[in-house]
Structures are given as C-alpha cells and as structure tokens.
Amino acid sequence: MNTHKVLRWSLPAGFLVAVAALALMVWSYGYRQALDSLAERSAADLALASDRVSTQLQVYQELAVLTAGHPALTDLSTPAARERAGELLRQVADKTAALDVFFAAADGRVLAAAEGVTGASVAQEEYFIRAAQGALGTGHGVLQPEGKRSYFYAAPAFAEDGQVRGALVVVADVGDVEQTWRGSLPAVFFTNGSGVVFIANRSELLFWRRGAAGETPRVTGRDFHGGHEIWRLEGSPYLPARALHLSVGLPVIGMTGEILVDVAPARRIAALQAAALAAVCLAFGALLFIVMERRRTLAEANAVLESRVEQRTRDLSAANAQLRREVHEREEAEAALKRAQQELVQAGKLSALGQMSAGISHELNQPLMAIQQYAENGAAFLARGKAERTGENLGRIADMAARMARIIKNLRAFARNESEPMGRVDLVRVIDAAVELTAPRLKADHIDLRWDAAACSGPVHAWGGEVRLTQVFVNLINNAADAMQGQMEKVISICVDTGPRLQVRVQDSGPGIKEPEKMFDPFYSTKAVGSSEGMGLGLSISYGLVQSFGGNIRGANTGGGAVFTVELEPWREGEEKGDAA
C-alpha cells in the first residue's frame, strides 16, 4: 500500500521537475534568441548614431582643410593682414556654427582668430603638433571658462616650398552636434581613450568613467549570455537595471561608440515563452493524471462522450444545413448585386450621354456659325461672279458638315459603347482647324490670337482622335474668349512643347479662374444665369476627352489671366497596329 502511494505521488513530482527543467531551457533559448534580435537592432542604432556624429564632425574637418589654403591666410606678417584674416575667420565661424576658427603660425602662436585671443600659443596641443608634421590633427577637450565640450580639427597650411607654415584650427561645439539625437532611446555614448564619456544622448552620462570610485551610475556586475554582454546598473533612474552593452571603435574621431539597451523586454518574452510551455505541459500532465485517476469510470465516460458526440453531430448537421441555406441566399444576393451594378453602369452611361447630348448646341455652335458665314460669303462671291471663290466656300461648308457629322458620330458611338479609333494625329493641323473654327468669333470680339504653326518646324504627331482633339481646343479657345468679355486687352496665346509628353498651353489675359477646384465639373459656369453662350459643359467634356487619350488637362491662374495645359502621349511607330489588335 505504501509502495503504491509512493509510486502514485512520485510520478507527478518527477513530471513537475521535468517541466521546470524544460521551462528553464526554453527560457534560456528564448532569451538568447531575443538578445540576438535586440543586439542586431541595437548594432544598427549604434552604427546610425556613430555615422551621424562622425558625419557632423566631418563637416568641420572639411571646413578646416578647405579654409587652410585660403589666400587671405597666406601672408599674415602685417596687422592689417591679420585683421582681414580675423574678419574672414569670423564670417566662417558665423556661417558654420563653429565655436572658433583660428590660424596659428608654425611656432604655435595664434595670428588670427574668430573668437579667441590672438597671441596665445597652441604649440603644446596634440592636434597642433600633428598638423605641424603635415597631417590632419584632431583632439577634444573642454573650453574654459565656458565649460563647452569641443572637438578640434587642425589642417596644415603649406608654403610654396612645401614646408608647413602654420595650421588652420576649427573648434566644433560637441553640444551642438548632440542636439539632433539627445534624449532618444536607447542610451548612446562615446568614450575617449581614457574611458571618459565625452559625447552622449544622456546628460547624466557626460564625463562618466566606468569603474571610477563614487561615479554614478555604477556597474555592479557583468554577465554573458549567448555571447552577449549584460551590464547590471545602479544609481540612475534613466538607465535600465539590466542593459545589453555593445561597442564599436571609431578611429576617425578617436573614440569608441557604446550603447546600453534595456533587456527587460527580452526577459519578458523569454518568460512568456517558458510560462506558455509550462502551462501547456502542466495542463497535459493534469489531464493525464485525471485520466489515470478515472480509469475505472472510463466506460461510463465513453458512453457519455458517445452520447455527446452524437448530439454534437446532429447539431453540426443542422448547422451545416443552415450554412448551405445561407450560402445559397448569399449567392442569390451576390447575383442580384451584380445585376444592380450592371444596371447602375448602364444608367451612368445614359447619364453621361445626356450630358453630352445637352452640350451638342455648344459643340456644334461654332461649325454652324462657320457654315453660315461661308454660305453668306459664297452668295456674295456668286453675286459678283467669282465662281472659284464661291466653290472654295462651298468646299469649306462641306468640310464643316463632315466635321459636324463626325462629332455626332462620336455621340452615337458612345451610346453603342463604341469610340472613335485612336491613332496618329497631327497636333499642328488639329490646332489650325480649331483656330479656323473660332476665327470669326475671335475677329468679331476683337481678340488677338497668337499662334505660330511654323514655330513647330513641321508636324507634331500625338496619340488620340482628330475630331475629339479639335473639340478640346475649340472649347479652350471659346472658354478663353468668354472669360475676356468686357476687357480692353484681349489676347489668347497657344504654344506647343515637345518632350517625353507633348504639352499644349492655351493662355488668356482674362481675370483668371474664380474657383479652380470646380472648373472641370459639369454645368459649372461663371456666366450670368440665362446666358445663351454656354452651359458649363465645355471644360468637363474636354477633360473626359483628354483622359480617354491617356492624357491630362489642368488649369491654373498666372496672375494676368488663366492658362490651360493639355498633356498628350506622343505617337510612336507601331502603336496603331497594337490599338487595332
């Protein structure tokens, strides 16, 4: 009996020990994986901060090298020359935010300076000794009495014989360099050769030396986990108690970049993983223990379970039947939705067709006026016996009628879901046609149209439809003419620019566009209510036509009127075949 009890409780105890050991292994593995990911991100942050500091200080290095050879620093033997050099160095310091810029002779005596006192000597400074040897010297320190941390760049200045005649020293403000990243997480700092923090994004770390007596924060220990160094810190509310420590050497500035990243999130992730595994294992063990304890009631439990499975099966069958009914209803609803969408598309087409039909009077007004004018001219020429001129006018009337037929054909094609075939269009000829259609109206309104087709040096081929492009430019010219009603100076300018995309600009000297955001809306017009000159469809129709060619149209105010720019794709060899296919 006692042996049975020992076996009965030894198995759960052994299972708990195994779960604890497994959870510990999972915690260790998860912690190591989290540290690997954290170290990768932290190394990138440290590299970014190091590059930022090096790059910002590099600017002052280049400043020192470039300024060292300035002609004003060549001869400082006279007080006037030193005064001019000092003025130059003050300008350089003001423009670059340097703390000081000064020039020292070969013996270390300062001859000219932006902020410092001339006559002082820097002969014993390490950066000057390096520059005196013909190399770029660097150094850092704290300026007194201001207490500002500074970084020094000394560039040698060579005489004509190749000897070093002095050095140009630029003093950079380290505090100014820190401004762009101070306070950002995590803690990043840069230590000099003595291990003293000279640059940091945490003010409490400045001039801190690890391990020095009485220094805070204190490093109470260092652990290594998976090849990563973990510091234990005390004495600072702004630094983590446990932090991943990474470092990188920066020989360019003579310092070492270091970063401290809180490992608490990594420990929490590892703890959660271990706890989840332990919970699963304990749940499984508890279930196994319960099963073992209830072996005697297994038959009854199986019967109950089979009954429940049967009931669940019936419920599932009913749920499946309900689901099939819902799927059928969804399919019917989806089919109805598609039919409604098709009807909405057709309704949209009919609405657009109605807008275009409402604009027929606007689109055909100019050709009709031209036909009337040509008919009157033909009758006058016929009365004078000039049959040849009468024939020319009749030919133009036929051309106008053909153009009107093609415009109406476009509307009919739109109703049949068809469109005018697109292909190569001579843009110059299209603009000439639009100018010809609008010429009588412009002449009657005393409008000066400035369009020089000869400036294009031949045809300019665009991708589009000739009739619809003619409509666009007729609309733009008429719109410009309407805008200049009542003005003394009336000028319309048209120019063509070739490039990756063709651009045609139509500019007027009118009052400009009152509401630019509405200018392409259908039925938007600035004319008086009841005016017979337009219904606000011209720009809207033009916008749709240009879009159908893959182009774009936009309008803007110029301060002395408005300008509309039409962008079109240039025609390329072989595109007509592709379009026809």
Side-chain angles (χ1 to χ4, degrees):
M1 187 68 179
N2 291 334
T3 303
H4 178 72
K5 289 183 177 180
V6 170
L7 291 175
R8 179 182 178 185
W9 292 107
S10 63
L11 289 176
F15 179 76
L16 290 176
V17 172
V19 169
L22 182 60
L24 181 61
M25 293 173 59
V26 170
W27 180 89
S28 179
Y29 177 77
Y31 187 38
R32 185 169 62 253
Q33 291 295 106
L35 284 179
D36 290 340
S37 177
L38 183 63
E40 184 177 353
R41 294 195 303 270
S42 301
D45 292 339
L46 178 57
L48 179 61
S50 301
D51 290 343
R52 184 180 299 172
V53 171
S54 299
T55 301
Q56 288 179 287
L57 290 178
Q58 190 76 17
V59 173
Y60 296 99
Q61 174 186 328
E62 296 173 356
L63 174 63
V65 174
L66 293 175
T67 310
H70 196 280
L73 304 176
T74 302
D75 184 9
L76 301 179
S77 58
T78 63
R82 289 192 289 272
E83 180 64 26
R84 289 193 298 270
E87 179 63 26
L88 169 67
L89 297 181
R90 280 190 290 274
Q91 293 178 4
V92 171
D94 291 341
K95 294 179 180 178
T96 59
L99 285 177
D100 196 4
V101 182
F102 62 87
F103 185 87
D107 57 0
R109 184 168 51 89
V110 178
L111 300 180
E115 299 294 339
V117 179
T118 59
S121 177
V122 293
Q124 302 303 318
E125 300 294 340
E126 183 179 349
Y127 58 84
F128 179 79
I129 295 174
R130 181 68 173 166
Q133 296 172 354
L136 180 66
T138 60
H140 59 275
V142 179
L143 289 182
Q144 298 299 337
E146 298 88 349
K148 291 187 176 181
R149 289 167 294 129
S150 307
Y151 201 92
F152 301 87
Y153 280 107
F158 297 95
E160 294 182 357
D161 58 359
Q163 297 297 320
V164 177
R165 59 180 179 82
L168 190 284
V169 182
V170 176
V171 184
D173 186 358
V174 174
D176 184 60
V177 173
E178 290 175 340
Q179 291 301 322
T180 57
W181 54 286
R182 176 171 291 173
S184 61
L185 294 176
V188 180
F189 54 93
F190 299 86
T191 58
N192 57 20
S194 301
V196 177
V197 176
F198 194 72
I199 305 175
N201 65 346
R202 296 288 189 279
S203 58
E204 64 270 15
L205 290 176
L206 290 177
F207 305 113
W208 175 66
R209 177 182 296 177
R210 181 171 65 251
E215 291 280 358
T216 56
R218 297 185 301 278
V219 180
T220 59
R222 291 190 297 173
D223 301 327
F224 292 90
H225 193 93
H228 302 291
E229 183 181 6
I230 310 299
W231 285 9
R232 296 195 300 273
L233 302 170
E234 291 182 356
S236 175
Y238 303 104
L239 294 177
R242 292 176 181 267
L244 173 67
H245 174 256
L246 298 175
S247 62
V248 61
L250 301 174
V252 175
I253 61 174
M255 295 186 183
T256 300
E258 301 182 53
I259 187 170
L260 293 175
V261 186
D262 191 4
V263 297
R267 295 173 65 88
R268 284 195 296 270
I269 292 174
L272 287 175
Q273 292 174 343
L277 178 65
V280 172
C281 292
L282 290 175
F284 177 75
L287 179 62
L288 182 61
F289 181 77
I290 292 173
V291 171
M292 292 177 63
E293 287 293 313
R294 296 186 179 182
R295 285 181 300 174
R296 296 178 183 181
T297 59
L298 183 60
E300 183 180 353
N302 285 338
V304 173
L305 181 60
E306 289 177 358
S307 175
R308 291 179 179 178
V309 168
E310 183 179 357
Q311 181 62 34
R312 293 289 177 87
T313 302
R314 288 195 298 270
D315 294 342
L316 183 60
S317 299
N320 286 337
Q322 178 66 23
L323 182 60
R324 284 193 294 270
R325 287 194 296 270
E326 292 180 359
V327 169
H328 181 68
E329 293 174 357
R330 287 276 182 90
E331 291 176 349
E332 291 182 348
E334 185 176 354
L337 177 61
K338 289 182 178 179
R339 289 193 298 270
Q341 288 175 340
Q342 293 174 356
E343 292 174 358
L344 286 175
V345 169
Q346 184 63 24
K349 287 175 56 180
L350 293 177
S351 176
L353 180 59
Q355 292 180 3
M356 294 176 66
S357 299
I360 290 178
S361 61
H362 181 79
E363 301 301 331
L364 299 183
N365 184 46
Q366 297 298 329
L368 285 173
M369 291 177 62
I371 290 174
Q372 179 182 359
Q373 185 66 38
Y374 290 142
E376 293 174 356
N377 292 343
F381 287 132
L382 185 63
R384 298 175 185 176
K386 297 182 179 180
E388 181 179 354
R389 298 298 298 275
T390 301
E392 291 178 359
N393 280 269
L394 291 176
R396 292 177 179 175
I397 290 174
D399 291 339
M400 296 297 103
R403 292 182 184 275
M404 292 169 61
R406 279 185 289 180
I407 293 173
I408 296 174
K409 178 183 177 182
N410 286 334
L411 295 174
R412 295 176 59 191
F414 179 81
R416 296 195 303 269
N417 197 21
E418 296 178 355
S419 61
E420 181 189 59
M422 292 191 297
R424 184 176 70 174
V425 176
D426 185 353
L427 199 55
V428 175
R429 188 171 66 181
V430 166
I431 297 175
D432 285 339
V435 169
E436 181 182 3
L437 285 171
T438 56
R441 187 264 174 90
L442 300 181
K443 182 178 180 181
D445 290 347
H446 304 289
I447 296 176
D448 182 14
L449 178 63
R450 298 175 182 177
W451 156 244
D452 186 7
C456 296
S457 301
V460 177
H461 294 142
W463 176 259
E466 181 177 356
V467 174
R468 285 176 285 179
L469 270 180
T470 305
Q471 289 178 257
V472 169
F473 292 115
V474 167
N475 288 343
L476 292 179
I477 295 174
N478 284 333
N479 202 64
D482 292 339
M484 295 186 294
Q485 291 292 331
Q487 292 197 178
M488 297 297 296
E489 183 182 5
K490 302 177 183 180
V491 179
I492 299 176
S493 301
I494 303 175
C495 63
V496 178
D497 290 339
T498 58
R501 298 194 77 180
L502 299 178
Q503 291 187 349
V504 181
R505 289 193 293 271
V506 180
Q507 183 173 349
D508 62 64
S509 59
I513 306 170
K514 292 183 179 179
E515 298 177 287
E517 68 278 2
K518 296 182 179 180
M519 60 184 171
F520 293 116
D521 292 347
F523 301 106
Y524 171 73
S525 176
T526 58
K527 303 179 182 68
V529 177
S531 173
S532 62
E533 295 181 0
M535 294 178 289
L537 288 171
L539 290 178
S540 176
I541 293 173
S542 300
Y543 182 85
L545 293 177
V546 175
Q547 290 283 329
S548 69
F549 303 145
N552 186 31
I553 182 172
R554 60 181 185 273
N557 291 319
T558 62
V563 58
F564 285 86
T565 303
V566 179
E567 294 184 352
L568 298 169
E569 292 289 340
W571 180 85
R572 297 178 180 86
E573 191 69 30
E575 287 188 341
E576 286 184 327
K577 295 180 180 180
D579 186 270

